[in-house]
C-alpha cells in the first residue's frame, strides 16, 4: 500500500532503533527444523521459574477478570520485609527495563547529559535518547574494569544521570564498593545515580555492593532489581527500583497505573520466599561457571572472569562465524558486535547438560577451522 503520511516524528526518534533481542527459541526451531534448541543468549535461569511462583499463579487464575493492584501493595511490603526497608522506597515496574524508561521520563530534559559506561546494557542509552538527552560514554578499561576517575571527570553542569551496571552486562565485571563510594562522594548534588544490580545475586565478592547500603545512607541512588534472572520469571516482566522515597514518589508519577500484571505481582511475591529455588539456582550457576571456565582454559580461549550468570569469551576474528555456526547447531548465544566487541561472544551460563553441548559444539567448530 502506498502511504502519503507526512506526520512529523519527534526529533529524538532519530537516535532510536528497535531493541535487538536474542533470537527466540521458536524462531530458530522453525528455521532449522530442530526440536532441541539451547538458548544461552538472554541470561535466563536454566532451572526454570520458581516453583513457588508457579503454584501461586495457578491459584490466582480465576481472578484474572480483575485489574491488577496499581499500587502493588503486597509485593512492595514483601520486598520491604526482604530488604528491611520501607515499602515507600520501592517502585515495581514491568521488568527492570521499564524502570529505566520511567527514570528517564521523570528526570531528563533534552539539554541533559547521561553518563553511561561502555560497553554496557543498551537500555540506558535508549532511555536517554527517548528523552532527547545526550549520551556521554565512558569506556571501561581494556580489562573491562570501571574507571572511577574517568567517570567523575565526565561530569559537567549538564550531567543529570549516571548509569552504572554492576555486575556489568555484557562483561560480567563489577564496580567495587569503595569505587562506588568514591564516585558518589565526588558527584555534584544534581546527579542521580542508577545502580543496575540485576545480576547482584550472582556476585559473591567481598568488595561487591548491590548499592542498597548507599540508598540506606541517603545517597541519590536508585538500585534496579529484577525477577527475570535469579527467580526465573523473565516472561512475566517484573522488576523494581529502590531509592529514597522522595525519588520513588516522583517516578511513580510517570508510571502507567497497571504496569505490572496480576500474575507477575503474585509470582514475584511468592518467588521471594522460594529459598530452595534460589539456593539451587546459585549452585547451578557456580558449577556451570566453573565448567565453562575449565573448558575455555582447555581450548585456550581467553574469557573475562564473571561475577554473574554469563561469560564474555574471546574468539578473535572468527567470533562472528563461530556465533553463526553455533546457531546452525541450534545453540543461541549473543554476538559481541552489538557492544562493539566483534571478537567476543556473550554466553549465558546454562545447566551442566546445556554447557556440555555448547562446549562440544565450540570445540568441533574450532577443530574444523
Ligand atoms: C543489566 C540488566 N539490567 C536490567 C535488565 C532488565 O531485565 P528485565 O527487564 O527482564 O527485568 C537486564 C536484562 O537482561 C539486564 O541485563
Amino acid at each position: 500500500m502506498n502511504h502519503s503520511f507526512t506526520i512529523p516524528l519527534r526529533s529524538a526518534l532519530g537516535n532510536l532503533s528497535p531493541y535487538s533481542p536474542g533470537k527466540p527459541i521458536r524462531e530458530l526451531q522453525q528455521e532449522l527444523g530442530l526440536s532441541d534448541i539451547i538458548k544461552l543468549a538472554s541470561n535466563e535461569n536454566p532451572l526454570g521459574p520458581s516453583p513457588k511462583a508457579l503454584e501461586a499463579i495457578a491459584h490466582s487464575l480465576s481472578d484474572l477478570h480483575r485489574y491488577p493492584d496499581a499500587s502493588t501493595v503486597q509485593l512492595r511490603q514483601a520486598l520491604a520485609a526482604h530488604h528491611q526497608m520501607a515499602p515507600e522506597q520501592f517502585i515495581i515496574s514491568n521488568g527492570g527495563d521499564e524502570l529505566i524508561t520511567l527514570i528517564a521520563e521523570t528526570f531528563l530534559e533534552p539539554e541533559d547529559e547521561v553518563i553511561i559506561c561502555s560497553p554496557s546494557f543498551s537500555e540506558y542509552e535508549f532511555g536517554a535518547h527517548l528523552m532527547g538527552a545526550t549520551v556521554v560514554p565512558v569506556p571501561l578499561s581494556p580489562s573491562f574494569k570501571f574507571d572511577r576517575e574517568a567517570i567523575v571527570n565526565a561530569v559537567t553542569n549538564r550531567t543529570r544521570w549516571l548509569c552504572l551496571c554492576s555486575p556489568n552486562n555484557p562483561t560480567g565485571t563489577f564496580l567495587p564498593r569503595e569505587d562506588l563510594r568514591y564516585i558518589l562522594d565526588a558527584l555534584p548534588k544534581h546527579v542521580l545515580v542508577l545502580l543496575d544490580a540485576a545480576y547482584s545475586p550472582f556476585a559473591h565478592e567481598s568488595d561487591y555492593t548491590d548499592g542498597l547500603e548507599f540508598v540506606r545512607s541517603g545517597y541519590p541512588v536508585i538500585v534496579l532489581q529484577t525477577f527475570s534472572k535469579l527467580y526465573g520469571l523473565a516472561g512475566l516482566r517484573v522488576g523494581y527500583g529502590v531509592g529514597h522515597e522522595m525519588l520513588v514518589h516522583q517516578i511513580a508519577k510517570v508510571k502507567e497505573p497497571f504496569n505490572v500484571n496480576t500474575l507477575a505481582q503474585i509470582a514475584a511475591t511468592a518467588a521471594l520466599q522460594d529459598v530452595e529455588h534460589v539456593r539451587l539456582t546459585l549452585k547451578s550457576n557456580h558449577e556451570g561457571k566453573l565448567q565453562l571456565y575449565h573448558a575455555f582454559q582447555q581450548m585456550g580461549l581467553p574469557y573475562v572472569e564473571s561475577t554473574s550468570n554469563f561469560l564474555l569469551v574471546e574468539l578473535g576474528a572468527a567470533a562472528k562465524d563461530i556465533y553463526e555456526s553455533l546457531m546452525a547447531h541450534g545453540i543461541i548465544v549473543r554476538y559481541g558486535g552489538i557492544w562493539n566487541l566483534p571478537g567476543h561472544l556473550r554466553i549465558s551460563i546454562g545447566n551442566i547438560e546445556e554447557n556440555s553441548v555448547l562446549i562440544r559444539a565450540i570445540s568441533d567448530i574450532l577443530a574444523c577451522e
Side-chain angles (χ1 to χ4, degrees):
M1 213 192 300
N2 219 350
H3 295 297
S4 54
F5 298 153
T6 53
I7 305 162
L9 295 173
R10 282 205 305 127
S11 55
L13 265 73
N15 278 323
L16 295 179
S17 43
Y19 179 72
S20 121
K23 200 184 244 303
I25 292 182
R26 281 213 183 110
E27 199 178 313
L28 193 63
Q29 271 172 337
Q30 278 178 358
E31 267 176 40
L32 299 179
L34 289 177
S35 55
D36 288 337
I37 301 290
I38 292 181
K39 184 173 177 224
L40 300 173
S42 301
N43 309 335
E44 295 151 338
N45 189 326
L47 303 191
S50 145
K52 280 204 179 267
L54 293 185
E55 201 185 313
I57 290 176
H59 286 119
S60 67
L61 291 176
S62 58
D63 284 333
L64 285 183
H65 59 301
R66 304 285 179 204
Y67 280 96
D69 171 8
S71 311
T72 55
V73 172
Q74 281 193 335
L75 179 51
R76 285 191 301 111
Q77 280 173 350
L79 284 167
H82 188 76
H83 291 296
Q84 298 177 339
M85 296 173 88
E88 295 73 27
Q89 293 187 274
F90 293 83
I91 179 155
I92 316 297
S93 54
N94 193 268
D97 284 348
E98 192 204 22
L99 179 73
I100 296 168
T101 313
L102 294 176
I103 293 174
E105 288 171 348
T106 308
F107 296 100
L108 294 184
E109 299 283 7
E111 60 272 19
D112 291 337
E113 290 175 353
V114 180
I115 299 178
I116 301 176
C117 298
S118 172
S120 195
F121 186 47
S122 62
E123 287 299 287
Y124 320 129
E125 211 169 301
F126 169 76
H129 284 152
L130 182 68
M131 304 312 294
T134 303
V135 171
V136 177
V138 174
L140 298 179
S141 78
S143 57
F144 303 120
K145 299 268 169 22
F146 288 83
D147 183 342
R148 66 184 200 178
E149 296 295 341
I151 292 170
V152 169
N153 288 338
V155 175
T156 70
N157 287 340
R158 290 171 57 196
T159 308
R160 177 70 65 249
W161 193 22
L162 164 61
C163 299
L164 298 166
C165 185
S166 178
N168 185 48
N169 177 6
T171 57
T173 47
F174 70 99
L175 178 68
R177 176 183 292 107
E178 288 317 310
D179 287 350
L180 178 57
R181 190 189 308 282
Y182 175 90
I183 293 167
L184 291 173
D185 285 338
L187 286 178
K189 296 255 179 284
H190 58 266
V191 181
L192 174 73
V193 176
L194 172 70
L195 197 280
D196 183 340
Y199 298 100
S200 65
F202 303 102
H204 298 298
E205 287 68 8
S206 58
D207 53 345
Y208 174 75
T209 177
D210 63 9
L212 289 179
E213 63 198 278
F214 293 96
V215 174
R216 291 194 183 93
S217 359
Y219 285 96
V221 178
I222 295 172
V223 171
L224 178 153
Q225 280 291 352
T226 178
F227 285 89
S228 298
K229 312 295 176 185
L230 177 66
Y231 298 107
L233 299 177
L236 279 178
R237 313 304 302 127
V238 53
Y240 61 97
V242 196
H244 192 286
E245 66 177 89
M246 301 274 286
L247 297 172
V248 168
H249 179 70
Q250 297 305 326
I251 300 170
K253 290 183 184 170
V254 301
K255 146 185 130 49
E256 298 288 334
F258 305 114
N259 62 330
V260 184
N261 72 72
T262 304
L263 299 184
Q265 294 190 33
I266 286 174
T269 308
L272 268 184
Q273 312 302 327
D274 203 338
V275 180
E276 183 59 5
H277 180 256
V278 165
R279 188 183 71 78
L280 292 172
T281 300
L282 296 179
K283 181 168 179 283
S284 158
N285 191 63
H286 179 68
E287 290 168 359
K289 193 194 293 187
L290 296 183
Q291 181 190 10
L292 290 176
Y293 280 176
H294 179 71
F296 293 149
Q297 281 161 17
Q298 299 255 300
M299 289 189 263
L301 297 175
Y303 57 86
V304 183
E305 292 225 353
S306 173
T307 49
S308 197
N309 67 346
F310 54 85
L311 286 182
L312 194 63
V313 58
E314 193 175 347
L315 292 147
K320 186 139 196 264
D321 290 345
I322 295 173
Y323 159 76
E324 279 160 8
S325 303
L326 285 172
M327 193 82 89
H329 280 70
I331 303 172
I332 317 173
V333 299
R334 269 313 188 72
Y335 175 52
I338 49 172
W339 297 282
N340 221 355
L341 298 170
H344 289 78
L345 300 184
R346 191 199 67 189
I347 298 175
S348 306
I349 299 170
N351 61 34
I352 297 290
E353 294 74 38
E354 291 170 327
N355 297 336
S356 301
V357 175
L358 169 89
I359 292 164
R360 220 171 307 124
I362 296 184
S363 124
D364 288 351
I365 293 166
L366 291 177
C368 292
E369 291 240 311

